[in-house]
Amino acid sequence: MTEPTYRMRSRCELRVRELADYMAASNQRRRSILRTFRYQKIARSIQHKEARISITKWLREGQGDTAALKRVADVIRGRMTASDFEADQNDHNADYIEAFVTAFPTMAIPVCEMLPVAARGAVNLNGTIVVYNPDIAIARTTQKNTRKIGGVFLRYAKGKELPEVAAEFQSAFTFGFLKDTPFEPEAEPEKKLCITIDGNTGKVFEAPGRAVYLWNEMSAACADIAALWPTIEPPPNAILG
């Protein structure tokens, strides 16, 4: 029996990162991008989960000496493995952490409380389910004793700079989502606390002044995505599992 090569998302569902990348793409590329979202390769691919968890934990514990974070990268890189794939994945995760360590001194991260994300959320935007899955929840108390909240997304692609347009859409989504679904009662999102960090360059992208406009643009695009979703054909020669 031939093994399946792709699995299909039957429900029209995207993560925030995917929606942001879609919004930043040209009209010519958008349909091909949607195909990669709907039909996902079953073959193992490099994941940066361990690096993101390590960086997130380090940030929440108070942004201490980056040498401690560098030691985590050394441990991951030096770990014994059972296959070339595992060794490659360890190297990629260590690279991610080391890039973050190098870029950290330039990161303009606002002074705030860094909190664990209790649970991921989701919103139905015109027929497209968008999963909100930030790496960190953040908050601060103003001088007037009001609570402001936000969230942090970590982005990293080895050797590639995160496009500003995609980052702004991603941060704007956090602002728009938290306006309707705050994780603290009575709290309000603040644009400068809704951020996306490029682990390569150290750039911190906060939700721009036109965040509400970008949210509306994403909402409108989601209606188009929902209409297209059932019509997207699988890649050539794909075997669906």
Side-chain angles (χ1 to χ4, degrees), residues 8 34 64 83 100-101 134 136-137 161 174-175 185 193 202 204 220 241:
M8 182 183 72
L34 283 182
S83 67
F100 186 91
V101 167
I136 307 173
E161 183 172 345
T174 293
F175 182 76
L193 295 183
V204 177

Side-chain angles (χ1 to χ4, degrees), residues 4 33 45 51-52 54 59 72 85 96 104 129 134 137 146 155-156 164 170 216:
I33 287 175
S45 59
R52 287 173 47 242
S54 299
L59 287 170
V72 174
F85 177 83
Y96 184 166
F104 181 74
I129 305 299
T146 60
R155 294 289 304 261
Y156 173 81
E164 181 176 0
Q170 194 157 347
N216 290 335

Side-chain angles (χ1 to χ4, degrees), residues 22 27-37 232:
Y22 175 85
N27 288 331
Q28 293 183 27
R29 290 196 62 239
R30 283 185 172 183
R31 191 173 182 100
S32 64
I33 287 175
L34 283 182
R35 185 166 68 176
T36 67
F37 295 160
I232 300 170

Side-chain angles (χ1 to χ4, degrees), residues 2 58 80 114 129 131 150 165 167 183 202-203 229-230:
T2 304
W58 181 80
M80 293 186 66
M114 295 203 173
I129 305 299
V131 177
V165 175
F183 57 82
K203 291 181 179 179
W229 197 260

Side-chain angles (χ1 to χ4, degrees), residues 57-115:
K57 180 175 182 292
W58 181 80
L59 287 170
R60 289 205 322 266
E61 289 178 350
Q63 303 176 29
D65 184 0
T66 54
L69 192 54
K70 175 61 169 63
R71 286 193 292 273
V72 174
D74 293 339
V75 169
I76 293 173
R77 194 184 300 280
R79 185 182 296 150
M80 293 186 66
T81 58
S83 67
D84 289 342
F85 177 83
E86 288 181 6
D88 196 26
Q89 177 149 283
N90 287 345
D91 283 342
H92 276 77
N93 276 271
D95 288 344
Y96 184 166
I97 295 172
E98 288 170 353
F100 186 91
V101 167
T102 299
F104 181 74
T106 67
M107 291 181 188
I109 299 175
V111 177
C112 59
E113 302 166 33
M114 295 203 173
L115 311 168

Side-chain angles (χ1 to χ4, degrees), residues 212-231:
V212 172
Y213 170 80
L214 295 184
W215 171 269
N216 290 335
E217 286 288 288
M218 287 185 279
S219 182
C222 281
D224 296 335
I225 293 170
L228 282 171
W229 197 260
T231 71

Side-chain angles (χ1 to χ4, degrees), residues 175-195:
F175 182 76
F177 182 84
L178 292 179
K179 280 178 68 70
D180 293 330
T181 317
F183 57 82
E184 289 186 6
E186 310 303 323
E188 294 183 350
E190 185 174 31
K191 292 185 177 74
K192 69 179 182 181
L193 295 183
C194 299
I195 61 179

